[in-house]
């Protein structure tokens, strides 16, 4: 407990023990020890007997004086560090040399930690001693840990890894929440509200203004994105940059070449629409990528792969098509529409681009512009005539068809389904759902789309009282790919969660048939059984960050850290 005192020439308990062992008059020895090691203030000696008369133990008195002096010293350290004295850090280093031997003494440790905290560059020898001692490492300030982490990527990875895992768990919990409606879904929180999440705030605190640590975190995110294909890592990449922007951390924002692009896109996400002015700004950033700087496309593609960005881009695309229809214009003549498709395409190739290290914008397939977009416009015409059609005899209409191997077309088709569900256009939805079964890489059965579809279908709860609509939703779509969507998520079947969330709304609808209520009861029973005995899920992707280097530099002045 008192280790380090002899190094400073101060007697400790061992010295007193030795003195008492070798002396002939213990009382005199104790008195001399107290005089030599007490407070060296002559006027105090005559006052101490008064404390004895009041029954105040000497230990209590000395402890109170010690606590007061320690607090004053810590305040003085902060004052020196914040001052303008050119030699202020020299003074702190001198104090560190004198106090560091007592770093493990609980009463002195706060002073040592305070000095370390205010030194912008702690001597390397001291950093190594702190890093080697688990207790000291645990209690030292984050300012000190940053200096340790920037030279020890493995240790930093150990600190960051649980936070990244926690972030993914929180995103999946939001996706699979049963509290679901058109007004309360995964995309409801504003960008600024999302950036107040616990993980984002902790990571920002860990990074501070350290460009090297920021670069390491981005490297971790790229590596995990490559390993898992989980797009939530793309979301976190954008949220970290915009959090630093909110805090005006120019040391990092100014050297991240994606900053202005992400800032502009964040404003679009907030408005859930890309207007003409911001579209020109975004296009300027993309067109401004110069030869020899193409690697920045890797990070831009991750920013655009963020589900919140994709959601905004596709919603803007549908709205753009509606405006073209009212203007009697062709899709290929709209530069804003072409830009939206360009950004969608870039975002969807993020994984392939970073994996292959070939940084080149993908060329938009001509078939999307010449065949798919006109087909979507024709279906949009049906939306405008929906009210009139309800009053006319029904007629058979063909389903929307689009290139099933094109990611952009598939995503637009999925969001168009959400669009017509929001309009409560059951006829158009019944025609479109069968066409969604065959999508690129089963995109229609991804967790995010199923989450949104479930929320939108609650608007049509009255229609589930009819056999025709139930057949279109379940037989024509949800049940067609049972095997592809019955996978494990946190010990529960995503498929059953989606259906249970939908049925929990529909079961209270007066028009609901007995079959719906019976299915709801069975699904509830299934989920309760899974809670009691969850199946053995496949091992989650390892968050060990020791992968091969992924060379996508994000800063202009700092090289990317290899993993």
């Amino acid at each position: 407990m008192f280790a380090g005192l002899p190094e400073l020439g101060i007697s400790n308990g061992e010295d007193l023990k030795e003195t008492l062992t070798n002396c002939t008059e213990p009382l005199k020895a104790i008195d001399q020890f107290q005089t030599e090691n007490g407070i060296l203030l002559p006027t105090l000696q005559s006052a101490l007997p008064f404390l004895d008369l009041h029954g105040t133990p000497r230990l209590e008195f000395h402890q109170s004086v010690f606590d007061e002096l320690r607090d004053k010293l810590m305040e003085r350290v902060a004052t020196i560090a914040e001052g303008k004295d050119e030699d202020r850090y020299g003074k702190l280093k001198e104090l560190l040399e004198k106090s560091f031997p007592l770093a493990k003494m609980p009463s002195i440790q706060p002073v040592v930690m305070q000095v370390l905290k205010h030194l912008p560059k702690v001597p390397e020898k001291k950093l190594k001693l702190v890093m080697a001692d688990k207790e000291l490492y645990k209690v030292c300030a984050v300012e000190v840990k940053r200096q340790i982490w920037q030279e020890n990527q493995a240790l930093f990875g150990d600190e960051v890894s649980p936070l990244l895992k926690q972030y993914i768990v929180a995103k999946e919990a939001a996706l699979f929440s049963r509290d679901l409606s058109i007004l309360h879904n995964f995309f409801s929180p504003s960008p600024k509200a999302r950036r107040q999440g616990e993980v984002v705030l902790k990571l920002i605190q860990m990074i501070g203004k350290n460009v090297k640590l920021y670069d390491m975190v981005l490297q971790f995110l790229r590596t995990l994105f490559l390993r898992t294909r989980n797009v939530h890592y793309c979301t976190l990449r954008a949220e970290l940059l915009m959090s630093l922007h909110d805090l005006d951390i120019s040391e990092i924002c100014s050297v991240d070449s994606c900053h202005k692009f992400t800032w502009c896109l964040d404003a679009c996400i907030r408005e859930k629409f890309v207007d003409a002015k911001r579209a020109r700004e975004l296009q300027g950033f993309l067109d401004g990528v110069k030869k020899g700087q193409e690697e920045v496309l890797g990070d831009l593609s991750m920013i655009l792969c963020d589900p919140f960005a994709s959601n905004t881009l596709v919603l803007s695309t549908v709205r753009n098509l509606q405006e073209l229809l009212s203007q009697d214009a062709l899709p290929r003549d709209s530069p804003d529409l072409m830009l939206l498709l360009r950004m969608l395409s870039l975002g969807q190739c993020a994984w392939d681009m970073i994996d292959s290290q070939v940084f080149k914008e993908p060329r938009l397939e001509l078939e999307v512009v010449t065949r798919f977009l006109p087909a979507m416009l024709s279906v949009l015409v049906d939306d405008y005539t929906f009210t009139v059609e309800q009053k006319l005899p029904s007629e058979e209409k063909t389903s929307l068809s689009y290139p099933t191997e094109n990611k952009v077309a598939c995503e637009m088709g999925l969001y168009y389904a959400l669009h017509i569900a929001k309009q409560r256009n059951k006829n158009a939805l019944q025609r479109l759902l069968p066409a969604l079964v065959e999508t690129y890489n089963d995109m229609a059965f991804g967790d995010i789309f199923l989450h949104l579809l479930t929320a939108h279908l609650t608007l049509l709860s009255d229609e589930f009282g009819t056999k025709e609509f139930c057949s279109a939703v379940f037989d024509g779509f949800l049940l067609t790919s049972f095997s592809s969507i019955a996978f494990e998520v946190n010990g529960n079947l995503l498929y059953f969660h989606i259906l249970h969330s939908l049925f929990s709304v529909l079961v209270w609808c007066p028009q609901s048939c007995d079959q719906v209520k019976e299915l709801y009861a069975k699904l509830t029973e299934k989920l309760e059984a899974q809670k009691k005995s969850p199946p053995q899920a496949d091992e989650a992707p390892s968050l060990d960050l020791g992968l091969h280097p992924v060379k996508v530099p994000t800063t202009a002045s700092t090289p990317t850290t290899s993993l």
Side-chain angles (χ1 to χ4, degrees):
M1 182 177 180
F2 299 104
L5 287 176
E7 295 180 38
L8 302 177
I10 300 174
S11 301
N12 61 9
E14 291 298 320
D15 295 318
L16 177 59
K17 181 180 178 181
E18 184 179 349
T19 299
L20 292 174
T21 302
N22 299 326
C23 73
T24 56
E25 298 184 45
L27 292 178
K28 285 186 177 181
I30 292 174
D31 186 59
Q32 183 180 356
F33 187 89
Q34 288 178 326
T35 302
E36 293 175 352
N37 294 284
I39 300 174
L40 302 179
L41 189 63
T43 56
L44 178 64
Q45 297 304 316
S46 59
L48 288 177
F50 287 101
L51 293 176
D52 299 335
L53 292 174
H54 288 281
T56 303
R58 296 287 178 91
L59 174 62
E60 183 179 328
F61 167 72
H62 283 88
Q63 187 64 51
S64 65
V65 173
F66 177 86
D67 292 342
E68 184 71 20
L69 289 173
R70 181 185 59 197
D71 293 342
K72 292 289 184 183
L73 179 57
M74 292 178 67
E75 290 176 11
R76 181 62 181 154
V77 168
T79 302
I80 292 174
E82 293 166 4
K84 297 182 179 180
D85 186 353
E86 292 183 1
D87 192 38
R88 61 187 184 277
Y89 296 128
K91 293 177 180 178
L92 293 182
K93 286 182 180 179
E94 185 180 348
L95 180 57
L96 179 64
E97 288 297 328
K98 293 179 178 179
S99 61
F100 195 83
L102 306 177
K104 300 200 71 173
M105 185 184 295
S107 55
I108 298 292
Q109 190 177 81
V111 176
V112 181
M113 294 299 117
Q114 180 82 334
V115 176
L116 288 170
K117 174 183 176 181
H118 285 92
L119 276 174
K121 186 168 179 59
V122 177
E124 186 177 350
K125 181 180 179 182
K126 298 293 188 292
L127 280 180
K128 288 182 178 179
L129 291 172
V130 172
M131 185 175 67
D133 191 301
K134 291 184 178 180
E135 292 182 10
L136 290 181
Y137 174 78
K138 185 177 180 181
V139 299
C140 72
V142 69
E143 290 85 354
V144 182
K145 289 180 178 177
R146 289 187 197 125
Q147 298 185 48
I148 294 174
W149 292 333
Q150 70 177 7
E151 303 301 331
N152 195 317
Q153 187 180 27
L155 183 60
F156 186 52
D158 291 340
E159 295 276 359
V160 169
S161 181
L163 292 175
L164 300 184
K165 184 175 182 180
Q166 180 184 339
Y167 182 86
I168 298 301
V169 169
K171 287 295 181 186
E172 290 179 344
L175 272 177
F176 308 137
S177 170
R178 299 183 194 178
D179 182 17
L180 186 62
S181 70
I182 189 67
L183 298 176
H184 181 76
N185 59 58
F186 183 72
F187 293 109
S188 297
S190 68
K192 203 150 194 174
R194 287 188 282 113
R195 295 198 285 272
Q196 302 308 308
E198 179 184 0
V199 171
V200 175
L201 294 178
K202 282 185 177 179
L203 286 173
I204 291 300
Q205 183 188 32
M206 292 170 72
I207 293 169
K209 299 180 180 181
N210 193 306
V211 176
K212 190 170 183 180
L213 293 181
Y214 175 69
D215 195 54
M216 284 186 192
V217 171
L218 297 193
Q219 184 66 19
F220 295 158
L221 294 178
R222 292 187 205 105
T223 302
L224 288 168
F225 176 52
L226 280 180
R227 184 179 296 173
T228 66
R229 292 180 180 264
N230 194 322
V231 293
H232 299 315
Y233 291 115
C234 300
T235 304
L236 183 54
R237 193 262 185 263
E239 288 179 351
L240 284 176
L241 177 54
M242 288 311 301
S243 293
L244 293 166
H245 169 86
D246 293 342
L247 295 171
D248 198 22
I249 308 295
S250 58
E251 290 86 347
I252 293 177
C253 293
S254 62
V255 295
D256 189 330
S257 49
C258 296
H259 173 227
K260 291 184 178 179
F261 181 89
T262 308
W263 183 12
C264 184
L265 185 62
D266 184 75
C268 298
I269 294 172
R270 184 178 64 245
E271 303 296 331
K272 291 185 169 59
F273 179 64
V274 182
D275 59 34
K277 180 183 177 182
R278 291 195 177 111
R280 288 193 296 272
E281 291 180 24
L282 291 169
Q283 182 167 354
F285 296 134
L286 290 177
D287 294 342
V289 177
K290 299 177 182 178
K291 189 174 182 180
Q293 299 177 346
E294 293 88 351
E295 290 182 352
V296 73
L297 290 173
D299 269 321
L300 289 176
S301 66
M302 273 194 77
I303 297 293
L304 291 168
C305 189
D306 167 20
F308 291 88
S310 301
N311 178 65
T312 301
L313 294 176
V314 184
L315 289 176
S316 300
T317 301
V318 173
R319 184 168 165 182
N320 196 288
L321 286 171
Q322 289 176 309
E323 292 176 357
L324 290 175
L325 191 61
S326 64
Q327 298 167 5
D328 199 21
L330 293 174
R332 63 172 177 266
D333 295 330
S334 170
D336 288 353
L337 179 59
M338 292 300 104
L339 173 66
L340 291 170
L341 297 178
R342 176 185 177 185
M343 290 192 292
L344 274 172
S345 183
L346 180 57
Q348 288 170 344
C349 75
W351 190 92
D352 294 322
M353 185 180 294
I354 297 174
D355 181 59
S356 66
Q357 296 289 285
V358 177
F359 302 105
K360 185 178 180 182
E361 276 197 61
R363 186 180 297 275
L364 185 65
E365 291 184 19
L366 187 63
E367 189 179 21
V368 175
V369 179
T370 59
R371 288 185 53 196
F372 175 65
L373 291 181
M376 278 203 73
L377 280 177
S378 67
V379 177
L380 279 169
V381 173
D382 293 341
D383 290 343
Y384 284 109
T385 59
F386 172 57
T387 306
V388 178
E389 282 184 343
Q390 285 185 308
K391 301 175 183 178
L392 300 175
S394 61
E395 59 181 64
E396 190 70 23
K397 296 194 177 216
T398 58
S399 298
L400 173 66
S401 61
Y402 53 89
T404 58
E405 290 304 311
N406 185 277
K407 296 180 183 180
V408 174
C410 288
E411 189 157 13
M412 289 177 63
L414 299 180
Y415 270 80
Y416 180 68
L418 301 177
H419 170 72
I420 58 179
K422 189 174 183 179
Q423 291 186 322
R424 296 180 171 86
N425 188 341
K426 73 163 188 175
N427 295 331
L429 190 61
Q430 287 176 194
R431 294 200 314 273
L432 181 60
L433 282 177
L436 300 182
V437 174
E438 297 293 333
T439 51
Y440 179 86
N441 202 26
D442 280 336
M443 290 173 66
F445 300 103
D447 48 9
I448 294 177
F449 176 71
L450 287 180
H451 167 92
L452 291 174
L453 180 63
T454 303
H456 283 68
L457 285 177
T458 58
L459 294 172
L460 293 158
S461 57
D462 291 349
E463 304 298 339
F464 280 90
T466 66
K467 182 177 180 181
E468 181 185 12
F469 190 72
C470 283
S471 177
V473 173
F474 295 106
D475 297 335
F477 178 63
L478 286 176
L479 299 179
T480 57
S481 294
F482 180 91
S483 60
S484 67
I485 57 179
F487 57 88
E488 296 291 333
V489 179
N490 295 331
N492 290 317
L493 288 174
L494 167 63
Y495 172 72
F496 287 111
H497 271 289
I498 294 294
L499 293 186
H500 189 270
S501 298
L502 182 58
F503 281 132
S504 63
V505 175
L506 303 181
V507 73
W508 302 110
C509 176
Q511 291 83 1
S512 292
C513 58
D514 293 337
Q515 184 181 9
V516 170
K517 295 176 180 178
E518 183 181 347
L519 279 172
Y520 175 74
K522 290 182 178 179
L523 285 170
T524 302
E525 182 181 344
K526 173 71 175 178
L527 286 174
E528 290 301 323
Q530 285 223 338
K531 285 182 181 179
K532 294 177 182 178
S533 56
Q536 294 294 322
D538 294 336
E539 186 176 351
S542 171
L543 288 180
D544 169 31
L545 299 170
L547 268 190
H548 60 278
V550 181
K551 295 170 60 180
V552 187
T554 61
T555 61
S557 60
T558 304
T560 301
T561 307
S562 299
L563 288 182

